[in-house]
Amino acid sequence: MSATRPAAVMILAAGEGTRMRSSTPKVMHSIGGRSLLHHAIAAAQGLDPERLVVVVRHARDLVAGHAKEAAPEALMADQDDTPGTGRAVWCGLTALDAKAQASATNDGHGREVVMASQVSGPIVVTSADVPLVDTELLSAMLDDHIAGGRAVTVMTTRVANPGGYGRIVRDPDGSLAAIVEHKDATDEQRAIDEINAGIYVFDAEVLRETLASLSTDNAQGELYLTDVVALARTALHGVGAFLAPDAAAVEGVNDRVQLAAAGANLRTRVLERWMREGVTIADPSTTWVDVTVTLAPDSTILPGTQLHGETSVAAGAVVGPDTTLTNVIVGEGATVTRVHGSDSVIGPGASVGPFSYLRPGTVLGEGGKIGGFVETKNARIGDHSKVPHLSYVGDATIGEHSNIGAATIFVNYDGVHKWHTFIGDHVRIGSDNSLIAPVTIGDGAYTGAGATIRRDVPAGALSRNSAPQQTIEGWVESRRPGTESADAAARARLTGGAPGIADAVDPISLGQDSANKGEQ
Protein backbone atom coordinates (compact mmCIF):
# COMPACT_ATOMS: atom_id res chain seq x y z
CA MET A 1 0.00 0.00 0.00
CA SER A 2 1.11 3.57 -0.63
CA ALA A 3 2.94 5.39 2.12
CA THR A 4 0.46 8.25 1.60
CA ARG A 5 -3.20 7.89 2.42
CA PRO A 6 -5.24 9.67 -0.26
CA ALA A 7 -7.88 12.16 0.74
CA ALA A 8 -10.30 10.32 -1.51
CA VAL A 9 -10.68 7.82 -4.30
CA MET A 10 -13.31 8.60 -6.92
CA ILE A 11 -14.70 5.82 -9.14
CA LEU A 12 -16.48 6.87 -12.34
CA ALA A 13 -19.44 4.51 -12.94
CA ALA A 14 -21.97 6.73 -14.71
CA GLY A 15 -21.69 5.38 -18.26
CA GLU A 16 -24.47 3.47 -20.01
CA GLY A 17 -22.25 0.89 -21.69
CA THR A 18 -24.47 0.44 -24.77
CA ARG A 19 -21.94 -1.80 -26.51
CA MET A 20 -22.56 -4.52 -23.93
CA ARG A 21 -26.09 -4.85 -25.41
CA SER A 22 -27.39 -5.86 -22.01
CA SER A 23 -30.16 -4.97 -19.60
CA THR A 24 -27.52 -5.30 -16.88
CA PRO A 25 -25.44 -2.14 -16.39
CA LYS A 26 -21.96 -2.61 -17.81
CA VAL A 27 -20.18 -2.08 -14.51
CA MET A 28 -22.22 -4.89 -12.91
CA HIS A 29 -21.00 -7.56 -15.33
CA SER A 30 -18.58 -9.90 -13.60
CA ILE A 31 -15.23 -11.57 -14.06
CA GLY A 32 -13.27 -13.55 -11.51
CA GLY A 33 -16.08 -13.59 -8.97
CA ARG A 34 -16.60 -9.83 -8.78
CA SER A 35 -18.37 -7.22 -10.85
CA LEU A 36 -16.28 -4.72 -12.76
CA LEU A 37 -17.33 -2.07 -10.25
CA HIS A 38 -16.47 -4.30 -7.30
CA HIS A 39 -12.96 -4.84 -8.71
CA ALA A 40 -12.52 -1.05 -8.84
CA ILE A 41 -13.85 -0.69 -5.30
CA ALA A 42 -11.51 -3.40 -3.96
CA ALA A 43 -8.52 -1.70 -5.58
CA ALA A 44 -9.57 1.64 -4.11
CA GLN A 45 -10.17 0.23 -0.62
CA GLY A 46 -6.64 -1.14 -0.64
CA LEU A 47 -5.35 2.46 -0.58
CA ASP A 48 -7.28 3.08 2.67
CA PRO A 49 -8.65 6.44 1.46
CA GLU A 50 -10.23 8.87 3.87
CA ARG A 51 -13.29 8.83 1.62
CA LEU A 52 -14.56 6.77 -1.29
CA VAL A 53 -17.07 8.19 -3.79
CA VAL A 54 -18.77 6.46 -6.71
CA VAL A 55 -20.20 8.64 -9.48
CA VAL A 56 -23.38 7.11 -10.93
CA ARG A 57 -26.03 7.97 -13.47
CA HIS A 58 -27.25 5.19 -15.82
CA ALA A 59 -29.37 2.65 -13.88
CA ARG A 60 -28.58 4.75 -10.86
CA ASP A 61 -30.43 2.74 -8.20
CA LEU A 62 -29.05 -0.62 -9.37
CA VAL A 63 -25.47 0.59 -9.59
CA ALA A 64 -25.59 2.57 -6.35
CA GLY A 65 -27.17 -0.33 -4.48
CA HIS A 66 -24.52 -2.70 -5.79
CA ALA A 67 -21.75 -0.27 -4.82
CA LYS A 68 -23.16 0.03 -1.30
CA GLU A 69 -23.15 -3.75 -0.92
CA ALA A 70 -19.46 -3.83 -1.83
CA ALA A 71 -18.53 -0.70 0.15
CA PRO A 72 -21.12 0.48 2.69
CA GLU A 73 -18.89 3.44 3.50
CA ALA A 74 -18.94 4.80 -0.06
CA LEU A 75 -20.61 8.08 -0.99
CA MET A 76 -22.84 8.17 -4.05
CA ALA A 77 -22.58 11.16 -6.40
CA ASP A 78 -25.17 11.66 -9.14
CA GLN A 79 -23.95 13.00 -12.47
CA ASP A 80 -26.42 15.37 -14.08
CA ASP A 81 -27.30 15.75 -17.76
CA THR A 82 -24.09 17.55 -18.64
CA PRO A 83 -21.95 14.97 -20.46
CA GLY A 84 -18.28 14.20 -20.04
CA THR A 85 -15.77 12.86 -17.57
CA GLY A 86 -14.99 16.38 -16.44
CA ARG A 87 -18.58 16.83 -15.32
CA ALA A 88 -18.57 13.41 -13.64
CA VAL A 89 -15.53 14.37 -11.57
CA TRP A 90 -17.06 17.75 -10.74
CA CYS A 91 -20.15 15.96 -9.37
CA GLY A 92 -17.95 13.60 -7.38
CA LEU A 93 -15.87 16.43 -5.94
CA THR A 94 -19.03 18.32 -4.98
CA ALA A 95 -20.27 15.27 -3.05
CA LEU A 96 -16.91 14.92 -1.32
CA ASP A 97 -16.88 18.59 -0.32
CA ALA A 98 -20.45 18.35 0.97
CA LYS A 99 -19.46 15.44 3.21
CA ALA A 100 -16.14 16.85 4.30
CA GLN A 101 -15.75 16.63 8.04
CA ALA A 102 -16.27 19.84 9.95
CA SER A 103 -13.36 21.14 11.94
CA ALA A 104 -13.98 22.44 15.43
CA THR A 105 -12.13 25.39 16.89
CA ASN A 106 -12.48 27.43 20.05
CA ASP A 107 -13.11 31.14 19.71
CA GLY A 108 -11.24 31.94 22.96
CA HIS A 109 -14.41 32.46 24.98
CA GLY A 110 -15.18 28.81 25.61
CA ARG A 111 -17.53 28.62 22.67
CA GLU A 112 -17.07 26.05 19.94
CA VAL A 113 -17.25 27.28 16.35
CA VAL A 114 -17.81 24.68 13.65
CA MET A 115 -16.33 25.54 10.27
CA ALA A 116 -17.07 23.55 7.14
CA SER A 117 -13.97 22.32 5.31
CA GLN A 118 -13.40 21.19 1.75
CA VAL A 119 -11.53 18.07 0.79
CA SER A 120 -7.80 18.69 0.55
CA GLY A 121 -4.89 16.51 -0.48
CA PRO A 122 -4.50 13.91 -3.25
CA ILE A 123 -7.60 12.53 -4.95
CA VAL A 124 -7.26 9.37 -7.03
CA VAL A 125 -9.73 9.17 -9.93
CA THR A 126 -10.26 5.78 -11.54
CA SER A 127 -12.91 4.02 -13.62
CA ALA A 128 -15.35 1.19 -12.93
CA ASP A 129 -14.57 -0.56 -16.21
CA VAL A 130 -10.84 -1.32 -15.77
CA PRO A 131 -11.03 -4.47 -13.62
CA LEU A 132 -7.33 -5.40 -13.83
CA VAL A 133 -6.20 -2.15 -12.21
CA ASP A 134 -5.30 -3.26 -8.69
CA THR A 135 -4.20 -1.61 -5.47
CA GLU A 136 -0.53 -2.21 -6.27
CA LEU A 137 -0.74 -0.21 -9.50
CA LEU A 138 -2.74 2.63 -7.92
CA SER A 139 -0.35 2.74 -4.99
CA ALA A 140 2.70 2.99 -7.27
CA MET A 141 1.06 5.86 -9.14
CA LEU A 142 0.14 7.69 -5.94
CA ASP A 143 3.69 7.35 -4.60
CA ASP A 144 5.08 8.66 -7.90
CA HIS A 145 2.69 11.61 -7.73
CA ILE A 146 3.77 12.51 -4.20
CA ALA A 147 7.48 12.01 -4.91
CA GLY A 148 7.23 14.27 -7.98
CA GLY A 149 5.51 17.05 -6.04
CA ARG A 150 2.92 17.31 -8.78
CA ALA A 151 -0.60 18.70 -8.82
CA VAL A 152 -1.73 16.36 -11.61
CA THR A 153 -0.50 12.89 -12.54
CA VAL A 154 -1.93 10.94 -15.48
CA MET A 155 -1.54 7.20 -15.89
CA THR A 156 -0.42 6.33 -19.43
CA THR A 157 0.60 3.23 -21.31
CA ARG A 158 1.86 2.28 -24.77
CA VAL A 159 -0.22 0.19 -27.16
CA ALA A 160 0.26 -1.14 -30.67
CA ASN A 161 -3.12 0.14 -31.83
CA PRO A 162 -3.98 3.45 -30.14
CA GLY A 163 -7.11 4.13 -32.21
CA GLY A 164 -9.90 5.70 -30.22
CA TYR A 165 -7.79 6.60 -27.20
CA GLY A 166 -6.65 10.00 -26.02
CA ARG A 167 -3.01 10.62 -27.03
CA ILE A 168 -0.29 11.78 -24.67
CA VAL A 169 1.45 14.80 -26.18
CA ARG A 170 4.87 15.58 -24.73
CA ASP A 171 7.21 18.52 -25.01
CA PRO A 172 10.66 18.05 -26.61
CA ASP A 173 12.10 17.55 -23.11
CA GLY A 174 9.68 14.68 -22.49
CA SER A 175 7.42 16.49 -20.06
CA LEU A 176 3.66 16.12 -20.36
CA ALA A 177 2.13 18.86 -22.48
CA ALA A 178 -1.47 17.77 -23.01
CA ILE A 179 -3.91 14.93 -23.60
CA VAL A 180 -5.69 15.12 -26.95
CA GLU A 181 -8.82 13.06 -27.54
CA HIS A 182 -8.78 10.91 -30.68
CA LYS A 183 -11.56 12.88 -32.41
CA ASP A 184 -9.72 16.15 -31.80
CA ALA A 185 -6.23 14.88 -32.70
CA THR A 186 -4.25 15.76 -35.82
CA ASP A 187 -2.83 13.03 -38.03
CA GLU A 188 0.56 13.56 -36.42
CA GLN A 189 -0.92 13.21 -32.94
CA ARG A 190 -2.87 10.10 -33.93
CA ALA A 191 0.45 8.42 -34.74
CA ILE A 192 1.45 8.63 -31.07
CA ASP A 193 1.34 5.21 -29.37
CA GLU A 194 1.26 6.50 -25.76
CA ILE A 195 -2.32 6.78 -24.59
CA ASN A 196 -4.28 8.05 -21.64
CA ALA A 197 -5.34 5.15 -19.35
CA GLY A 198 -8.09 7.27 -17.79
CA ILE A 199 -6.69 7.13 -14.24
CA TYR A 200 -5.43 10.22 -12.42
CA VAL A 201 -4.17 11.69 -9.18
CA PHE A 202 -5.11 15.32 -8.55
CA ASP A 203 -4.41 17.80 -5.83
CA ALA A 204 -7.93 18.59 -4.63
CA GLU A 205 -7.49 22.37 -4.69
CA VAL A 206 -6.05 22.39 -8.21
CA LEU A 207 -8.76 20.02 -9.40
CA ARG A 208 -11.45 22.28 -7.98
CA GLU A 209 -9.88 25.33 -9.65
CA THR A 210 -9.43 23.78 -13.10
CA LEU A 211 -12.80 22.02 -13.26
CA ALA A 212 -14.46 25.43 -13.03
CA SER A 213 -12.68 26.47 -16.24
CA LEU A 214 -13.62 23.49 -18.43
CA SER A 215 -15.37 24.10 -21.76
CA THR A 216 -17.46 21.99 -24.12
CA ASP A 217 -15.68 23.50 -27.14
CA ASN A 218 -14.58 20.18 -28.64
CA ALA A 219 -15.66 17.59 -31.21
CA GLN A 220 -18.00 15.81 -28.80
CA GLY A 221 -19.38 18.79 -26.94
CA GLU A 222 -18.38 17.32 -23.59
CA LEU A 223 -16.52 18.50 -20.53
CA TYR A 224 -13.26 16.61 -20.88
CA LEU A 225 -11.39 15.75 -17.71
CA THR A 226 -8.28 15.55 -19.86
CA ASP A 227 -8.41 19.33 -20.34
CA VAL A 228 -7.51 19.69 -16.68
CA VAL A 229 -3.92 18.76 -17.59
CA ALA A 230 -3.48 21.70 -19.97
CA LEU A 231 -5.27 24.11 -17.63
CA ALA A 232 -3.11 23.07 -14.68
CA ARG A 233 0.03 23.38 -16.78
CA THR A 234 -0.97 26.86 -17.95
CA ALA A 235 -1.46 27.86 -14.30
CA LEU A 236 2.10 26.65 -13.65
CA HIS A 237 1.05 23.70 -11.54
CA GLY A 238 3.20 20.60 -11.76
CA VAL A 239 1.83 17.96 -14.13
CA GLY A 240 3.30 14.63 -15.16
CA ALA A 241 2.67 11.10 -16.37
CA PHE A 242 3.01 7.70 -14.73
CA LEU A 243 3.68 5.00 -17.34
CA ALA A 244 1.91 1.70 -16.57
CA PRO A 245 4.28 -1.05 -17.76
CA ASP A 246 1.52 -3.52 -18.62
CA ALA A 247 -1.00 -2.18 -21.12
CA ALA A 248 -3.35 -5.12 -20.51
CA ALA A 249 -3.71 -4.10 -16.86
CA VAL A 250 -5.34 -0.78 -17.77
CA GLU A 251 -7.45 -1.98 -20.69
CA GLY A 252 -11.09 -1.01 -20.37
CA VAL A 253 -14.13 -3.23 -20.92
CA ASN A 254 -16.73 -1.91 -23.33
CA ASP A 255 -18.29 -5.04 -24.86
CA ARG A 256 -18.57 -8.75 -24.17
CA VAL A 257 -15.52 -9.60 -26.25
CA GLN A 258 -13.40 -7.35 -24.06
CA LEU A 259 -15.18 -8.73 -20.98
CA ALA A 260 -14.15 -12.28 -21.89
CA ALA A 261 -10.60 -11.17 -22.68
CA ALA A 262 -10.32 -9.39 -19.32
CA GLY A 263 -11.69 -12.48 -17.57
CA ALA A 264 -9.12 -14.73 -19.21
CA ASN A 265 -6.34 -12.28 -18.37
CA LEU A 266 -7.48 -12.10 -14.76
CA ARG A 267 -7.66 -15.90 -14.55
CA THR A 268 -4.04 -16.15 -15.70
CA ARG A 269 -2.92 -13.60 -13.12
CA VAL A 270 -4.79 -15.32 -10.30
CA LEU A 271 -3.50 -18.80 -11.15
CA GLU A 272 0.07 -17.62 -11.60
CA ARG A 273 -0.03 -16.01 -8.18
CA TRP A 274 -1.26 -19.20 -6.52
CA MET A 275 1.25 -21.40 -8.34
CA ARG A 276 4.06 -19.13 -7.19
CA GLU A 277 2.75 -19.55 -3.65
CA GLY A 278 3.05 -23.32 -3.83
CA VAL A 279 -0.25 -24.53 -5.27
CA THR A 280 -0.21 -27.23 -7.96
CA ILE A 281 -2.57 -26.37 -10.82
CA ALA A 282 -2.35 -29.22 -13.30
CA ASP A 283 -3.97 -27.45 -16.25
CA PRO A 284 -4.36 -23.66 -15.97
CA SER A 285 -6.16 -23.51 -19.30
CA THR A 286 -9.19 -25.37 -17.87
CA THR A 287 -9.07 -24.04 -14.32
CA TRP A 288 -10.97 -20.98 -13.08
CA VAL A 289 -10.43 -19.54 -9.62
CA ASP A 290 -12.20 -16.43 -8.32
CA VAL A 291 -10.17 -13.66 -6.76
CA THR A 292 -11.98 -14.34 -3.48
CA VAL A 293 -10.83 -17.97 -3.23
CA THR A 294 -8.05 -19.05 -0.85
CA LEU A 295 -5.64 -21.88 -1.71
CA ALA A 296 -3.01 -23.27 0.67
CA PRO A 297 0.49 -24.32 -0.39
CA ASP A 298 0.70 -27.99 -1.40
CA SER A 299 -2.97 -28.14 -2.38
CA THR A 300 -3.65 -29.54 -5.85
CA ILE A 301 -6.23 -28.41 -8.37
CA LEU A 302 -6.86 -30.85 -11.23
CA PRO A 303 -8.19 -30.04 -14.74
CA GLY A 304 -11.70 -28.78 -15.37
CA THR A 305 -12.11 -27.27 -11.90
CA GLN A 306 -13.94 -24.05 -11.04
CA LEU A 307 -13.63 -22.51 -7.57
CA HIS A 308 -15.95 -19.64 -6.74
CA GLY A 309 -16.91 -17.30 -3.94
CA GLU A 310 -15.33 -17.82 -0.53
CA THR A 311 -14.09 -21.32 -1.27
CA SER A 312 -10.91 -22.33 0.56
CA VAL A 313 -8.72 -25.37 -0.03
CA ALA A 314 -6.32 -26.51 2.69
CA ALA A 315 -2.85 -27.99 2.35
CA GLY A 316 -2.64 -31.48 0.91
CA ALA A 317 -6.18 -31.41 -0.43
CA VAL A 318 -6.85 -32.50 -4.02
CA VAL A 319 -9.78 -30.94 -5.87
CA GLY A 320 -10.88 -32.18 -9.28
CA PRO A 321 -10.97 -33.08 -12.00
CA ASP A 322 -14.24 -31.65 -13.29
CA THR A 323 -15.35 -30.06 -10.02
CA THR A 324 -17.27 -26.86 -9.30
CA LEU A 325 -17.28 -25.50 -5.75
CA THR A 326 -18.89 -22.29 -4.51
CA ASN A 327 -18.33 -21.17 -0.92
CA VAL A 328 -16.99 -24.58 0.08
CA ILE A 329 -14.34 -25.18 2.76
CA VAL A 330 -12.10 -28.12 1.87
CA GLY A 331 -10.08 -29.48 4.77
CA GLU A 332 -6.48 -30.58 4.88
CA GLY A 333 -5.78 -33.74 2.91
CA ALA A 334 -9.34 -34.09 1.62
CA THR A 335 -10.12 -35.35 -1.90
CA VAL A 336 -12.97 -33.95 -3.99
CA THR A 337 -13.53 -35.65 -7.34
CA ARG A 338 -16.11 -34.67 -9.96
CA VAL A 339 -18.31 -32.83 -7.48
CA HIS A 340 -20.72 -29.93 -7.70
CA GLY A 341 -21.05 -28.26 -4.32
CA SER A 342 -21.99 -25.01 -2.62
CA ASP A 343 -22.04 -23.56 0.90
CA SER A 344 -20.61 -26.73 2.43
CA VAL A 345 -17.73 -27.94 4.58
CA ILE A 346 -15.54 -30.95 3.79
CA GLY A 347 -13.47 -32.06 6.76
CA PRO A 348 -9.79 -33.01 6.90
CA GLY A 349 -8.99 -36.30 5.24
CA ALA A 350 -12.55 -36.68 3.95
CA SER A 351 -13.42 -37.84 0.44
CA VAL A 352 -16.26 -36.77 -1.82
CA GLY A 353 -17.24 -38.09 -5.22
CA PRO A 354 -17.27 -38.92 -7.96
CA PHE A 355 -20.52 -37.43 -9.26
CA SER A 356 -21.73 -36.09 -5.92
CA TYR A 357 -23.91 -33.05 -5.34
CA LEU A 358 -23.35 -31.07 -2.15
CA ARG A 359 -26.15 -28.62 -1.54
CA PRO A 360 -26.03 -25.82 1.04
CA GLY A 361 -25.65 -26.85 4.66
CA THR A 362 -23.65 -30.01 4.04
CA VAL A 363 -20.94 -30.61 6.65
CA LEU A 364 -18.77 -33.72 6.28
CA GLY A 365 -16.58 -34.56 9.25
CA GLU A 366 -12.95 -35.59 9.41
CA GLY A 367 -12.25 -38.80 7.52
CA GLY A 368 -15.83 -39.02 6.32
CA LYS A 369 -17.01 -40.12 2.90
CA ILE A 370 -19.69 -39.00 0.47
CA GLY A 371 -19.39 -41.38 -2.46
CA GLY A 372 -20.64 -41.69 -6.00
CA PHE A 373 -24.06 -40.42 -7.02
CA VAL A 374 -24.92 -39.06 -3.59
CA GLU A 375 -26.86 -35.84 -2.98
CA THR A 376 -26.77 -34.08 0.38
CA LYS A 377 -28.56 -31.01 1.72
CA ASN A 378 -28.54 -29.49 5.20
CA ALA A 379 -26.79 -32.61 6.43
CA ARG A 380 -24.16 -32.94 9.14
CA ILE A 381 -22.21 -36.16 8.68
CA GLY A 382 -19.91 -36.94 11.60
CA ASP A 383 -16.25 -37.90 11.67
CA HIS A 384 -15.44 -41.14 9.83
CA SER A 385 -19.06 -41.71 8.81
CA LYS A 386 -19.81 -42.78 5.26
CA VAL A 387 -22.51 -42.40 2.66
CA PRO A 388 -20.81 -44.49 -0.04
CA HIS A 389 -23.21 -44.46 -2.98
CA LEU A 390 -26.57 -43.83 -4.62
CA SER A 391 -28.24 -42.03 -1.72
CA TYR A 392 -30.04 -38.82 -0.79
CA VAL A 393 -29.31 -37.33 2.62
CA GLY A 394 -31.44 -34.28 3.34
CA ASP A 395 -32.10 -32.52 6.66
CA ALA A 396 -30.13 -35.00 8.71
CA THR A 397 -27.59 -35.32 11.49
CA ILE A 398 -25.40 -38.42 11.37
CA GLY A 399 -23.04 -39.26 14.22
CA GLU A 400 -19.52 -40.63 14.04
CA HIS A 401 -18.37 -43.93 12.51
CA SER A 402 -21.79 -44.69 10.99
CA ASN A 403 -22.45 -46.19 7.56
CA ILE A 404 -25.38 -45.46 5.30
CA GLY A 405 -26.08 -48.34 2.90
CA ALA A 406 -26.49 -47.95 -0.84
CA ALA A 407 -29.69 -46.45 -2.23
CA THR A 408 -30.85 -45.03 1.10
CA ILE A 409 -33.27 -42.12 1.01
CA PHE A 410 -33.81 -39.68 3.84
CA VAL A 411 -37.47 -38.86 3.30
CA ASN A 412 -37.55 -35.33 4.71
CA TYR A 413 -40.52 -33.61 3.04
CA ASP A 414 -44.19 -34.30 3.64
CA GLY A 415 -45.41 -31.86 1.02
CA VAL A 416 -45.68 -29.00 3.49
CA HIS A 417 -42.82 -29.19 6.00
CA LYS A 418 -39.21 -30.38 6.05
CA TRP A 419 -38.39 -32.80 8.88
CA HIS A 420 -35.09 -33.89 10.41
CA THR A 421 -33.55 -37.33 10.84
CA PHE A 422 -31.07 -38.08 13.65
CA ILE A 423 -28.69 -41.02 13.39
CA GLY A 424 -26.31 -41.84 16.23
CA ASP A 425 -22.74 -43.13 16.35
CA HIS A 426 -21.67 -46.53 14.96
CA VAL A 427 -25.02 -47.07 13.23
CA ARG A 428 -25.40 -49.40 10.24
CA ILE A 429 -28.19 -48.51 7.82
CA GLY A 430 -28.96 -51.35 5.41
CA SER A 431 -29.12 -50.92 1.66
CA ASP A 432 -32.27 -49.54 0.03
CA ASN A 433 -33.68 -48.01 3.20
CA SER A 434 -36.24 -45.23 3.40
CA LEU A 435 -35.95 -43.21 6.61
CA ILE A 436 -39.23 -41.35 7.10
CA ALA A 437 -38.53 -38.16 9.06
CA PRO A 438 -38.87 -37.15 11.78
CA VAL A 439 -37.12 -40.22 13.11
CA THR A 440 -34.19 -41.01 15.41
CA ILE A 441 -31.93 -44.06 15.18
CA GLY A 442 -29.90 -44.62 18.33
CA ASP A 443 -26.20 -45.39 18.76
CA GLY A 444 -25.06 -48.77 17.54
CA ALA A 445 -28.41 -49.65 15.93
CA TYR A 446 -28.81 -51.61 12.69
CA THR A 447 -31.51 -51.60 10.03
CA GLY A 448 -32.16 -54.40 7.59
CA ALA A 449 -31.92 -54.18 3.81
CA GLY A 450 -35.00 -52.73 2.14
CA ALA A 451 -36.40 -51.41 5.40
CA THR A 452 -38.76 -48.48 5.69
CA ILE A 453 -38.13 -46.85 9.05
CA ARG A 454 -41.08 -44.83 10.32
CA ARG A 455 -40.54 -45.00 14.09
CA ASP A 456 -37.55 -44.35 16.31
CA VAL A 457 -35.03 -47.18 16.67
CA PRO A 458 -33.49 -47.59 20.15
CA ALA A 459 -29.73 -47.82 20.62
CA GLY A 460 -28.38 -51.25 19.75
CA ALA A 461 -31.63 -52.48 18.20
CA LEU A 462 -32.21 -54.10 14.79
CA SER A 463 -35.10 -52.69 12.81
CA ARG A 464 -36.33 -54.52 9.72
CA ASN A 465 -39.45 -55.01 7.64
CA SER A 466 -40.08 -58.75 7.11
CA ALA A 467 -42.79 -60.41 5.02
CA PRO A 468 -42.81 -63.84 3.33
CA GLN A 469 -41.58 -63.72 -0.24
CA GLN A 470 -44.24 -64.81 -2.71
CA THR A 471 -43.23 -66.59 -5.93
CA ILE A 472 -45.88 -67.48 -8.55
CA GLU A 473 -44.43 -70.04 -10.93
CA GLY A 474 -45.14 -69.57 -14.65
CA TRP A 475 -46.83 -66.22 -14.19
CA VAL A 476 -45.04 -64.51 -17.10
CA GLU A 477 -45.81 -67.19 -19.68
CA SER A 478 -49.40 -67.33 -18.48
CA ARG A 479 -50.10 -63.61 -18.19
CA ARG A 480 -47.68 -62.21 -20.80
CA PRO A 481 -47.70 -64.76 -23.62
CA GLY A 482 -45.80 -63.86 -26.75
CA THR A 483 -43.51 -61.40 -25.01
CA GLU A 484 -39.74 -61.61 -25.06
CA SER A 485 -39.83 -62.34 -21.34
CA ALA A 486 -42.17 -65.30 -21.87
CA ASP A 487 -39.94 -66.66 -24.64
CA ALA A 488 -36.87 -66.30 -22.40
CA ALA A 489 -38.63 -68.17 -19.59
CA ALA A 490 -39.58 -71.01 -21.93
CA ARG A 491 -36.03 -71.34 -23.21
CA ALA A 492 -34.76 -71.42 -19.65
CA ARG A 493 -36.99 -74.37 -18.85
CA LEU A 494 -35.74 -76.26 -21.89
CA THR A 495 -32.15 -75.78 -20.76
CA GLY A 496 -32.73 -76.81 -17.20
CA GLY A 497 -34.62 -73.92 -15.76
CA ALA A 498 -37.32 -74.47 -13.16
CA PRO A 499 -40.52 -75.97 -14.74
CA GLY A 500 -43.62 -73.83 -14.79
CA ILE A 501 -47.32 -74.35 -15.37
CA ALA A 502 -46.86 -74.18 -19.16
CA ASP A 503 -45.06 -77.57 -19.30
CA ALA A 504 -47.80 -79.04 -21.47
CA VAL A 505 -47.11 -76.56 -24.27
CA ASP A 506 -45.19 -78.09 -27.14
CA PRO A 507 -41.90 -76.14 -27.49
CA ILE A 508 -42.13 -76.39 -31.26
CA SER A 509 -45.31 -74.36 -31.20
CA LEU A 510 -43.80 -71.43 -29.24
CA GLY A 511 -44.15 -68.22 -31.15
CA GLN A 512 -46.85 -69.54 -33.53
CA ASP A 513 -50.24 -67.93 -33.66
CA SER A 514 -53.15 -69.28 -31.66
CA ALA A 515 -54.74 -70.93 -34.70
CA ASN A 516 -51.64 -73.02 -35.36
CA LYS A 517 -51.46 -73.89 -31.67
CA GLY A 518 -55.02 -75.17 -31.84
CA GLU A 519 -54.29 -77.38 -34.84
CA GLN A 520 -51.43 -79.01 -33.03
Side-chain angles (χ1 to χ4, degrees), residues 115-184:
M115 301 176 62
S117 63
Q118 294 178 313
V119 172
S120 62
I123 296 178
V124 177
V125 177
T126 184
S127 174
D129 63 0
V130 283
L132 300 185
V133 171
D134 57 15
T135 298
E136 183 179 359
L137 185 59
L138 293 180
S139 179
M141 182 184 183
L142 180 58
D143 287 342
D144 183 73
H145 172 84
I146 300 299
R150 296 190 290 269
V152 179
T153 299
V154 182
M155 185 179 291
T156 72
T157 193
R158 296 188 182 278
V159 295
N161 180 14
Y165 294 100
R167 305 304 202 278
I168 300 300
V169 179
R170 294 182 179 269
D171 286 329
D173 64 359
S175 60
L176 178 62
I179 303 172
V180 180
E181 295 299 324
H182 179 84
K183 290 185 178 180
D184 299 305

Side-chain angles (χ1 to χ4, degrees), residues 136 265-281 284 295-299:
E136 183 179 359
N265 196 324
L266 180 61
R267 174 188 66 174
T268 298
R269 292 165 187 255
V270 169
L271 297 183
E272 285 181 355
R273 175 170 66 88
W274 286 122
M275 287 188 284
R276 290 192 178 98
E277 293 189 15
V279 177
T280 295
I281 298 177
L295 305 178
D298 286 327
S299 58

Side-chain angles (χ1 to χ4, degrees), residues 8 38 59 105 111 113 117 121 128 146 160 209 227 231 258 315 338 373 389 451:
H38 196 167
T105 61
R111 293 173 298 185
V113 179
S117 63
I146 300 299
E209 170 191 322
D227 288 345
L231 290 170
Q258 292 174 332
R338 291 189 169 89
F373 300 99
H389 29 227

Side-chain angles (χ1 to χ4, degrees), residues 16-393:
E16 185 173 356
T18 56
R19 281 182 281 173
M20 295 296 288
R21 298 184 179 275
S22 175
S23 59
T24 300
K26 178 179 75 170
V27 298
M28 290 177 62
H29 284 261
S30 296
I31 60 172
R34 284 180 178 154
S35 69
L36 303 183
L37 175 55
H38 196 167
H39 281 291
I41 288 173
Q45 289 173 321
L47 295 177
D48 189 29
E50 294 178 26
R51 288 192 176 274
L52 173 64
V53 60
V54 179
V55 182
V56 296
R57 185 185 182 202
H58 174 69
R60 190 263 180 215
D61 291 342
L62 277 176
V63 175
H66 179 68
K68 280 290 189 180
E69 289 179 3
E73 77 279 11
L75 300 174
M76 296 297 118
D78 293 294
Q79 183 175 357
D80 55 24
D81 292 336
T82 303
T85 52
R87 186 61 175 180
V89 171
W90 185 91
C91 294
L93 184 59
T94 301
L96 285 170
D97 284 343
K99 292 292 184 178
Q101 294 182 346
S103 60
T105 61
N106 192 291
D107 67 355
H109 299 283
R111 293 173 298 185
E112 190 174 70
V113 179
V114 178
M115 301 176 62
S117 63
Q118 294 178 313
V119 172
S120 62
I123 296 178
V124 177
V125 177
T126 184
S127 174
D129 63 0
V130 283
L132 300 185
V133 171
D134 57 15
T135 298
E136 183 179 359
L137 185 59
L138 293 180
S139 179
M141 182 184 183
L142 180 58
D143 287 342
D144 183 73
H145 172 84
I146 300 299
R150 296 190 290 269
V152 179
T153 299
V154 182
M155 185 179 291
T156 72
T157 193
R158 296 188 182 278
V159 295
N161 180 14
Y165 294 100
R167 305 304 202 278
I168 300 300
V169 179
R170 294 182 179 269
D171 286 329
D173 64 359
S175 60
L176 178 62
I179 303 172
V180 180
E181 295 299 324
H182 179 84
K183 290 185 178 180
D184 299 305
T186 65
D187 290 342
E188 182 180 3
Q189 289 170 337
R190 289 184 179 186
I192 297 171
D193 67 352
E194 186 178 10
I195 64 167
N196 173 25
I199 300 169
Y200 310 84
V201 183
F202 297 103
D203 174 78
E205 184 176 348
V206 172
L207 178 62
R208 195 176 292 110
E209 170 191 322
T210 52
L211 285 174
S213 301
L214 292 184
S215 167
T216 58
D217 185 16
N218 52 62
Q220 292 182 267
E222 297 183 2
L223 293 177
Y224 288 157
L225 181 60
T226 51
D227 288 345
V228 166
V229 174
L231 290 170
R233 190 171 185 267
T234 299
L236 302 180
H237 296 299
V239 300
F242 172 81
L243 181 65
D246 182 3
V250 296
E251 188 169 353
V253 172
N254 294 300
D255 57 33
R256 295 181 194 252
V257 174
Q258 292 174 332
L259 181 73
N265 196 324
L266 180 61
R267 174 188 66 174
T268 298
R269 292 165 187 255
V270 169
L271 297 183
E272 285 181 355
R273 175 170 66 88
W274 286 122
M275 287 188 284
R276 290 192 178 98
E277 293 189 15
V279 177
T280 295
I281 298 177
D283 183 11
S285 67
T286 62
T287 302
W288 293 81
V289 176
D290 284 355
V291 296
T292 49
V293 169
T294 302
L295 305 178
D298 286 327
S299 58
T300 299
I301 311 300
L302 298 179
T305 294
Q306 303 172 50
L307 304 179
H308 301 301
E310 301 298 326
T311 294
S312 66
V313 181
V318 179
V319 177
D322 306 324
T323 293
T324 300
L325 303 180
T326 303
N327 303 326
V328 175
I329 298 173
V330 181
E332 187 171 351
T335 59
V336 185
T337 306
R338 291 189 169 89
V339 171
H340 190 103
S342 62
D343 301 290
S344 298
V345 177
I346 299 168
S351 66
V352 183
F355 308 113
S356 303
Y357 181 22
L358 308 186
R359 292 168 61 189
T362 297
V363 178
L364 178 62
E366 180 176 359
K369 178 178 182 178
I370 295 175
F373 300 99
V374 173
E375 179 179 344
T376 59
K377 186 269 296 180
N378 191 27
R380 301 185 66 89
I381 301 170
D383 294 351
H384 307 288
S385 287
K386 300 178 180 179
V387 187
H389 29 227
L390 300 165
S391 297
Y392 170 69
V393 182

